[in-house]
Amino acid sequence: MNYQNTLEMIEHDGILPVKIFHYVRTGKIPAGVVMPHWHQDLELDYMIDGAALMKIGSRAVEVESGQMLLINSGDIHSSYHSAKGEERESYTVLYDLSFLRKYCPQADRIRFCETFSEEQSRHIRGILDEMVRLEQEHGRVGIDLYRLKITISGMQIFTYLAEHCVEEFPISCHPNGRKFENVNRAINYLHEHYDRSITLRETAENCGLDEAYLSRSFHELTGECFHDYLQIMRLDHAYLMLLENPSCTVTEAAFQSGFPNLKSFISTFRHYYGDTPGKHFRGSTSG
């Protein structure tokens, strides 16, 4: 499997503070997977119907109907949509940080809570529902106030987040900084070689980086040490194989994803998902 570059560039028009994506999956479409990636934008995911397993770094969060999840700028994340046969509908709101900086210079330094309290959820969901309605009615006959209303709603949510949902102001480099570029280059190297034995030293040498520097930077920006991140990448690949191909065995998924042995794969899977691959996929695969 070929991974895409983990850095995703979102194009904004400079007029609206947000870009909104609507996702609909019917029961006739196979389960979908969004592989690990990151972007500068602040992301707010809103599940209208169905469910998805979302991962931020190594943390797995089940997002169900009516729930929201916030992805902070620069956080590596992925998602595994509900199983085939189930419907899913969701909206993703991506905030243009260059727009937000005009009104909040600290916008790209704020780290927000990923999940919300009941009161916070109720308040944010009320505004999101209005944004969803605006998206659905956009283009109908009448005075076009879409841009104005979307801007107001989008800024209302960001203002509420900044006032009530701030987790911390981290001392870290900006996603466009040199350190992020170096780590992203190393991640791309892992994407190309994760299916074989690979070391931190080899990766550093091939990326023209100091081994100790890469180790520190990797942990700072991904929240994982080099080895654990590599295992997560292999786990994502194996998970996708088992999800999309019912005839694939646990053993095949393990070795084709770069795990040195079956025991290592099962142990890693249990650590992140709480049970064995066979139980997780309800016996649809075998070792």
Side-chain angles (χ1 to χ4, degrees), residues 20-266:
I20 303 174
F21 294 92
H22 181 207
Y23 299 99
V24 177
R25 190 187 68 78
T26 66
K28 298 180 180 179
I29 301 176
V33 174
V34 178
M35 299 307 294
H37 65 287
W38 64 271
H39 42 67
Q40 180 180 344
D41 300 60
L42 180 70
E43 176 177 328
L44 181 60
D45 295 311
Y46 181 28
M47 187 67 62
I48 301 295
D49 188 32
L53 178 66
M54 309 285 290
K55 289 182 66 179
I56 305 175
S58 62
R59 302 182 302 282
V61 182
E62 184 75 23
V63 184
E64 301 178 344
S65 298
Q67 294 183 336
M68 295 164 291
L69 182 68
L70 189 141
I71 312 294
N72 282 285
S73 173
D75 279 2
I76 296 173
H77 56 286
S78 57
S79 68
Y80 301 88
H81 303 173
S82 50
K84 183 177 181 181
E86 297 180 1
E87 296 185 354
R88 174 180 182 267
E89 180 180 11
S90 64
Y91 281 85
T92 293
V93 179
L94 293 170
Y95 277 88
D96 180 5
L97 286 184
S98 63
F99 183 102
L100 296 177
R101 284 191 215 104
K102 299 175 184 177
Y103 306 94
C104 180
Q106 296 176 310
D108 54 3
R109 293 185 58 243
I110 303 173
R111 185 170 185 84
F112 299 98
C113 302
E114 295 166 356
T115 56
F116 310 108
S117 67
E118 184 176 342
E119 180 181 351
Q120 292 168 344
S121 295
R122 184 167 54 250
H123 185 90
I124 297 171
R125 190 165 49 242
I127 304 174
L128 277 174
D129 287 337
E130 173 63 14
M131 295 179 76
V132 168
R133 186 188 66 79
L134 289 170
E135 280 292 299
Q136 295 172 341
E137 297 180 355
H138 184 211
R140 294 185 180 180
V141 178
I143 300 176
D144 188 0
L145 297 177
Y146 172 80
R147 286 184 172 182
L148 177 60
K149 291 182 176 181
I150 282 292
T151 298
I152 292 173
S153 296
M155 295 303 282
Q156 282 181 329
I157 291 178
F158 180 80
T159 300
Y160 183 83
L161 291 173
E163 290 180 337
H164 302 282
C165 308
V166 173
E167 185 176 82
E168 62 179 331
F169 287 85
I171 302 175
S172 61
C173 66
H174 191 274
N176 283 338
R178 177 62 59 86
K179 188 177 293 185
F180 232 105
E181 293 176 2
N182 289 336
V183 171
N184 190 56
R185 188 160 70 252
I187 289 174
N188 288 335
Y189 184 81
L190 295 185
H191 285 170
E192 297 173 0
H193 304 285
Y194 67 89
D195 57 349
R196 65 171 178 80
S197 177
I198 187 173
T199 64
L200 172 64
R201 174 174 294 182
E202 174 191 338
T203 304
E205 289 177 351
N206 279 274
C207 294
L209 301 171
D210 176 75
E211 183 177 350
Y213 165 84
L214 178 58
S215 178
R216 291 193 304 270
S217 300
F218 221 99
H219 186 271
E220 178 183 350
L221 298 184
T222 69
E224 301 289 342
C225 69
F226 176 88
H227 176 268
D228 288 346
Y229 187 91
L230 179 57
Q231 291 295 81
I232 293 170
M233 184 179 292
R234 289 168 172 162
L235 181 62
D236 285 332
H237 179 266
Y239 192 106
L240 182 58
M241 290 183 65
L242 294 170
L243 181 68
E244 294 191 334
N245 184 4
S247 65
C248 179
T249 68
V250 172
T251 300
E252 290 172 338
F255 285 103
Q256 290 185 34
S257 301
F259 284 94
N261 52 63
L262 185 58
K263 181 180 180 180
S264 175
F265 172 53
I266 293 177

Side-chain angles (χ1 to χ4, degrees), residues 1-15:
M1 172 177 298
N2 294 320
Y3 281 82
Q4 298 297 315
N5 190 312
T6 55
L7 171 60
E8 180 181 358
M9 301 301 296
I10 311 297
E11 294 185 5
H12 291 273
D13 58 14
I15 299 174

